Amino acid sequence: MAGRISSNEVVIDNPSEAIRNYNKGYFGRMVGETLHLHLIEATFLVEIGRVEVERDGKTVTLNELMDMGIKVHPNFEISYLVFRDLRQRGYVVRIPQDGEDGFDLYPRGGAPHSHSPTYLVKAISERSPFLILRISDWINGIGKRKLMLGIADEEGDLTYYSVKFFRMRGKMKEEESYEGNITVMGDRSMVWDEELSKKLQENFIGRTFEENVVQLSLMETAYLVEKGATAMKGNKKLSLKSFIKYAKKIQPDIERRLYAYKDLRSSGLIPKTGFKFGSHFRVYREHIGEGHAPYLVHVIPENYKSTWTEISRAVRLANSVRKQMIFAIAGSGIDYIRIKRMTP
């Protein structure tokens, strides 16, 4: 017996057919002895030949059903690609009944009556904007589930990402203060003070220029001035406020990067420039030389907007050099979000 179109869903009235389709894959929801299918679920069942759908006594084709779905549900075609792929991989995928956008993905072999969903899956087009605030809101709203993003490219291929808040910890003890003079040059600084240079080398701050001489970035200079070192521009001593004002003309986002740098240092981590990897920092958990940097950290504002092409490039590059891609959201506080490629 065929299902029938009712409002914006498909209903199977025959009790035995309803129970059979529900029990074999947990499609739809049972209301008494009838099965109510979302148009995405009905489209999939029509595609694989398990269900026929009628409207006014006439068979509804797959093409017609998809056209109906596109008119009724925003993002229908992208959602269907992700739903279809996960179902073909053998997963139980359910559409939340509370109207929540996305799919509940159950563990392999799991069922709604015996398991809780492992992931909330969001289906996204590669052409959709990447909005970090939206990602953060999604993570905050999923309860005990994890967040999976299924990105459909223009050819319909899918790339999946696991996304979560992430906290890094290291083994480096942060120094409480630094003393000595720092010579501010153009877009960097030099430390000629031998005692201060040795202390910086021990703490992996800056780059050794020659024995007992260290070169610093403007951000590292600001960090050290805040901890007691003295910044000199010619014969003039610069306060932290004056130095930041000077540095912002060269590096407008210095305060945001400094915020993240200080937080990473306070967590026992060693942040170094990540320019060669297209990010702000490469981050070590242990002394440099004892292990590689497992993280790339890119510092962004709360209103950060980008494209999924850029995010894909960043995550793939990080993966190719055995690192994890972390986005540090610097606002009133600082949150870290890890985006990692995955195979469901």
Side-chain angles (χ1 to χ4, degrees), residues 157-219:
D157 285 337
L158 296 170
T159 301
Y160 292 96
Y161 296 101
S162 168
V163 183
K164 63 183 289 187
F165 287 127
F166 195 72
R167 197 69 198 178
M168 299 163 281
R169 297 291 179 193
K171 301 178 180 179
M172 191 77 185
K173 183 179 179 181
E174 185 180 29
E175 294 285 345
E176 293 184 3
S177 63
Y178 291 88
E179 295 181 0
N181 288 345
I182 300 171
T183 302
V184 179
M185 304 184 81
D187 68 348
R188 64 204 64 217
S189 303
M190 300 295 292
V191 178
W192 308 102
D193 182 307
E194 184 174 333
E195 187 173 335
L196 177 57
S197 290
K198 287 181 178 180
K199 191 171 183 179
L200 296 179
Q201 289 167 334
E202 290 170 359
N203 287 277
F204 304 101
I205 296 175
R207 179 184 177 90
T208 298
F209 187 74
E210 59 180 49
E211 187 177 1
N212 298 327
V213 178
V214 170
Q215 175 182 279
L216 299 171
S217 69
L218 294 177
M219 184 202 58

Side-chain angles (χ1 to χ4, degrees), residues 2-211:
R4 59 182 173 84
I5 300 290
S6 176
S7 296
N8 295 324
E9 61 181 6
V10 171
V11 178
I12 297 178
D13 295 304
N14 183 286
S16 61
E17 287 295 310
I19 292 171
R20 181 179 70 84
N21 278 290
Y22 179 77
N23 288 340
K24 190 177 180 181
Y26 302 99
F27 290 91
R29 71 189 194 282
M30 293 296 299
V31 179
E33 293 185 329
T34 63
L35 179 63
H36 292 244
L37 297 168
H38 191 283
L39 286 178
I40 289 175
E41 297 171 307
T43 301
F44 179 73
L45 291 173
V46 168
E47 182 185 358
I48 65 175
R50 274 202 19 208
V51 166
E52 290 185 358
V53 175
E54 292 182 351
R55 179 170 52 187
D56 300 328
K58 296 181 179 180
T59 299
V60 178
T61 66
L62 179 63
N63 183 16
E64 292 170 333
L65 199 56
M66 292 191 76
D67 282 345
M68 184 184 303
I70 290 169
K71 292 174 183 176
V72 172
H73 297 290
N75 205 41
F76 178 88
E77 71 277 21
I78 303 300
S79 296
Y80 182 68
L81 286 174
V82 174
F83 180 89
R84 175 178 183 263
D85 181 69
L86 293 172
R87 278 288 184 174
Q88 288 176 338
R89 291 173 184 264
Y91 286 100
V92 172
V93 186
R94 304 266 294 166
I95 298 172
Q97 300 303 313
D98 59 3
E100 182 180 33
D101 178 44
F103 306 123
D104 280 332
L105 179 70
Y106 288 80
R108 192 174 292 279
H113 64 270
S114 59
H115 294 78
S116 296
T118 305
Y119 287 96
L120 176 68
V121 183
K122 296 285 188 178
I124 302 169
S125 167
E126 69 159 309
R127 296 185 180 88
S128 298
F130 173 88
L131 304 172
I132 197 64
L133 186 59
R134 179 187 296 169
I135 301 293
S136 180
D137 287 344
W138 284 344
I139 301 173
N140 279 317
I142 59 176
K144 295 181 179 180
R145 295 167 296 177
K146 301 174 185 177
L147 179 62
M148 181 192 300
L149 306 180
I151 314 297
D153 68 19
E154 62 183 13
E155 294 181 347
D157 285 337
L158 296 170
T159 301
Y160 292 96
Y161 296 101
S162 168
V163 183
K164 63 183 289 187
F165 287 127
F166 195 72
R167 197 69 198 178
M168 299 163 281
R169 297 291 179 193
K171 301 178 180 179
M172 191 77 185
K173 183 179 179 181
E174 185 180 29
E175 294 285 345
E176 293 184 3
S177 63
Y178 291 88
E179 295 181 0
N181 288 345
I182 300 171
T183 302
V184 179
M185 304 184 81
D187 68 348
R188 64 204 64 217
S189 303
M190 300 295 292
V191 178
W192 308 102
D193 182 307
E194 184 174 333
E195 187 173 335
L196 177 57
S197 290
K198 287 181 178 180
K199 191 171 183 179
L200 296 179
Q201 289 167 334
E202 290 170 359
N203 287 277
F204 304 101
I205 296 175
R207 179 184 177 90
T208 298
F209 187 74
E210 59 180 49
E211 187 177 1

Side-chain angles (χ1 to χ4, degrees), residues 208-341:
T208 298
F209 187 74
E210 59 180 49
E211 187 177 1
N212 298 327
V213 178
V214 170
Q215 175 182 279
L216 299 171
S217 69
L218 294 177
M219 184 202 58
E220 290 170 322
T221 303
Y223 172 77
L224 294 170
V225 171
E226 190 170 333
K227 282 187 167 287
T230 301
M232 300 295 298
K233 179 69 173 170
N235 295 321
K236 183 180 179 182
K237 178 181 176 180
L238 299 178
S239 65
L240 177 61
K241 183 178 180 180
S242 297
F243 176 77
I244 291 291
K245 183 178 180 180
Y246 164 81
K248 283 179 73 173
K249 295 176 182 178
I250 302 169
Q251 185 179 335
D253 68 343
I254 186 171
E255 290 177 297
R256 187 162 58 240
R257 289 201 211 181
L258 177 61
Y259 191 15
Y261 183 88
K262 291 192 297 182
D263 187 70
L264 293 168
R265 279 277 174 184
S266 69
S267 297
L269 296 155
I270 303 173
K272 303 293 287 183
T273 179
F275 176 77
K276 291 181 180 179
F277 304 102
S279 61
H280 291 138
F281 303 117
R282 67 188 195 278
V283 178
Y284 296 82
R285 284 186 302 206
E286 50 200 355
H287 289 190
I288 297 174
E290 295 180 4
H292 84 298
Y295 310 117
L296 294 180
V297 175
H298 202 65
V299 188
I300 56 178
E302 291 176 308
N303 62 350
Y304 180 75
K305 179 179 180 179
S306 186
T307 66
W308 280 104
T309 300
E310 292 298 319
I311 301 305
S312 174
R313 181 184 296 119
V315 175
R316 179 173 282 277
L317 189 151
N319 185 66
S320 71
V321 291
R322 298 184 297 118
K323 303 183 191 303
Q324 299 183 61
M325 189 66 226
I326 314 294
F327 292 90
I329 309 169
S332 55
I334 189 160
D335 289 317
Y336 297 93
I337 290 180
R338 186 191 72 181
I339 301 181
K340 183 179 180 181
R341 286 191 64 168

